[in-house]
Amino acid sequence: MGDLRVGIFGTGFWSNFQIPAWFEVGGVTIAALYNRTVAKAERVAEKFHLEHAHIYGDPEELLRKEKIDFIDIITEIDAHAPLVLLAAKYRLPVICQKPMAPDLVTAERMVEACRTAGVPFFVHENFRWQTPIRALKQALDEGHIGRPFRAQLSFLTGFPVFDNQPLLKTLEHLIITDLGSHQLDLTRFLFGEPTRLYCQTNQVHPDIRGEDAATIVLDTAGHTTVVIRVAYAGNPVESDHFPQTTFFVEGEKGTIELSADYWLRITTRAGTLSKRVPPPHYGWADPNYDVVHASIVPCNADLLKALKGEGQAETTGEDNLKTVRLVFASYDSAASGKAISL
Ligand code: 89Y
């Protein structure tokens, strides 16, 4: 099979990493680019030497004129739904960045539109593809610590997140959609489907619209109690390990810790086994985001496998809808002050 031809929709911050990650995976030709501000798309095309790619300021014009095999949506969140619905209309397989949508009804509509049109729909949810997360999953599956009964996931940072992603400041729902969606997906990936959750949020920055800290407590089908703590509060943290999610998992026979600088420690009565599980570094990645940017490569490879009909992808739209439900159940819990059965 020759290269699949992709239309890139959106050439903002994230496209600077998504595009070279496609080159890393291989088997894909960037055939066309759409961006509302055409000059921005032209700059990205020049940066990545995409001389043969046509550039559009109107997504439908691109779809009418170009012969492409799939669409990769890398826009801000509000543009996700209209573009996914357009993909369904043109019967083109589509990948959409997380978070899928600004609300649950919209996410359900996107999944339903693709299902009805028979169009493969995938969500680019990359945290579960991080090297340290795969190592943690393997350690859990190997059974060193027996059944995990409690896990803490933390992403607490003073990193100036809004400098690179200023649009985040304008979101009504901020940290649980932008970041918590990752930790909720990791909860499902590592500990199974949640059955109940309780959430509290805080707004610390005075100049933003949504919440910038959240605490979510979940119970899973396997009876693991999971505590998620996320913050973009901007507080200085002595050993800031942005953008790593750290873990402390307690099992019936021991504990597993995934801590700063990618240290994985498995402790049982026999002692502690420590190893570093760092991500690969790519020249195109921003070193401040290494572990996240590196994870785009295996995530895209998994999606490409499914696009080529060579297997199932992990993060289909249908699968990610389960994560989106957890995101909005968290907001419902925070608003009502009540735990929610799922
Ligand atoms: O937007 C966030 C994400 O999805 O991964 C890292 C990030 O860019 C900042 O926390």
Side-chain angles (χ1 to χ4, degrees):
M1 187 189 252
D3 277 11
L4 291 191
R5 294 168 60 79
V6 58
I8 298 285
F9 281 29
T11 54
F13 175 64
W14 204 257
S15 69
N16 288 295
F17 314 105
Q18 187 83 1
I19 290 173
W22 278 124
F23 297 148
E24 210 68 58
V25 172
V28 166
T29 295
I30 298 187
L33 302 151
Y34 149 74
N35 199 64
R36 209 170 33 189
T37 310
V38 169
K40 237 172 153 182
E42 284 169 348
R43 275 201 297 277
V44 167
E46 197 180 323
K47 175 173 173 186
F48 293 109
H49 310 291
L50 303 171
E51 287 83 12
H52 301 294
H54 295 141
I55 294 172
Y56 295 84
D58 173 356
E60 193 148 10
E61 189 190 349
L62 184 157
L63 294 178
R64 274 198 313 270
K65 293 193 176 157
E66 296 290 330
K67 209 183 134 352
I68 56 175
D69 298 305
F70 74 98
I71 297 170
D72 190 6
I73 300 173
I74 324 174
T75 60
E76 41 87 28
I77 179 170
D78 283 336
H80 290 178
L83 294 175
V84 167
L85 298 185
L86 207 55
K89 177 175 162 192
Y90 281 79
R91 299 257 187 293
L92 274 173
V94 57
I95 301 172
C96 176
Q97 284 293 314
K98 66 45 76 174
M100 197 195 300
D103 59 77
L104 180 57
V105 174
T106 305
E108 283 170 342
R109 196 150 38 90
M110 291 158 77
V111 172
E112 181 54 32
C114 290
R115 189 190 299 134
T116 309
V119 160
F121 174 30
F122 307 100
V123 174
H124 183 96
E125 170 50 72
N126 52 36
F127 269 41
R128 61 163 70 200
W129 289 102
Q130 293 175 6
T131 310
I133 301 292
R134 291 279 150 170
L136 171 60
K137 169 86 171 138
Q138 187 182 340
L140 286 167
D141 289 350
E142 283 168 356
H144 304 278
I145 65 162
R147 189 185 70 79
F149 65 85
R150 185 162 59 181
Q152 172 152 297
L153 287 64
S154 309
F155 189 111
L156 310 170
T157 182
F159 188 82
V161 174
F162 302 126
D163 286 0
N164 286 329
Q165 296 167 273
L167 274 179
L168 294 180
K169 282 180 141 182
T170 65
L171 296 182
E172 180 191 348
H173 294 308
L174 170 53
I175 203 165
I176 310 177
T177 48
D178 181 63
L179 183 67
S181 54
H182 289 305
Q183 281 76 25
L184 289 166
D185 189 68
L186 292 178
T187 298
R188 295 182 48 234
F189 177 58
L190 296 167
F191 306 110
E193 296 299 333
T195 52
R196 214 162 76 96
L197 68 75
Y198 173 73
C199 173
Q200 283 189 197
T201 60
N202 315 81
Q203 185 189 335
V204 184
H205 279 91
D207 57 340
I208 60 171
R209 188 159 168 228
E211 83 294 349
D212 50 3
T215 310
I216 310 170
V217 182
L218 305 103
D219 192 18
T220 71
H223 299 296
T224 309
T225 302
V226 177
V227 182
I228 296 175
R229 296 184 305 152
V230 284
Y232 283 162
N235 275 329
V237 177
E238 193 196 356
S239 77
D240 202 322
H241 36 269
F242 177 88
Q244 256 196 277
T245 304
T246 55
F247 286 76
F248 189 72
V249 186
E250 296 161 85
E252 288 166 339
K253 295 193 294 183
T255 58
I256 304 181
E257 194 175 356
L258 182 57
S259 54
D261 204 24
Y262 315 114
W263 277 101
L264 184 74
R265 294 189 183 85
I266 305 171
T267 303
T268 62
R269 295 206 187 285
T272 298
L273 181 77
S274 304
K275 57 178 170 177
R276 274 194 84 232
V277 285
H281 173 69
Y282 295 105
W284 45 263
D286 177 339
N288 284 325
Y289 290 78
D290 248 353
V291 71
V292 175
H293 288 169
S295 72
I296 303 174
V297 175
C299 181
N300 281 5
D302 185 60
L303 302 177
L304 185 62
K305 176 187 72 184
L307 285 163
K308 286 181 164 170
E310 292 168 358
Q312 296 266 330
E314 288 192 16
T315 57
T316 59
E318 306 264 357
D319 178 83
N320 195 258
L321 194 52
K322 296 180 189 165
T323 298
V324 178
R325 289 203 177 103
L326 297 178
V327 167
F328 291 102
S330 301
Y331 285 116
D332 289 347
S333 169
S336 67
K338 296 200 169 107
I340 296 191
S341 293
L342 301 156

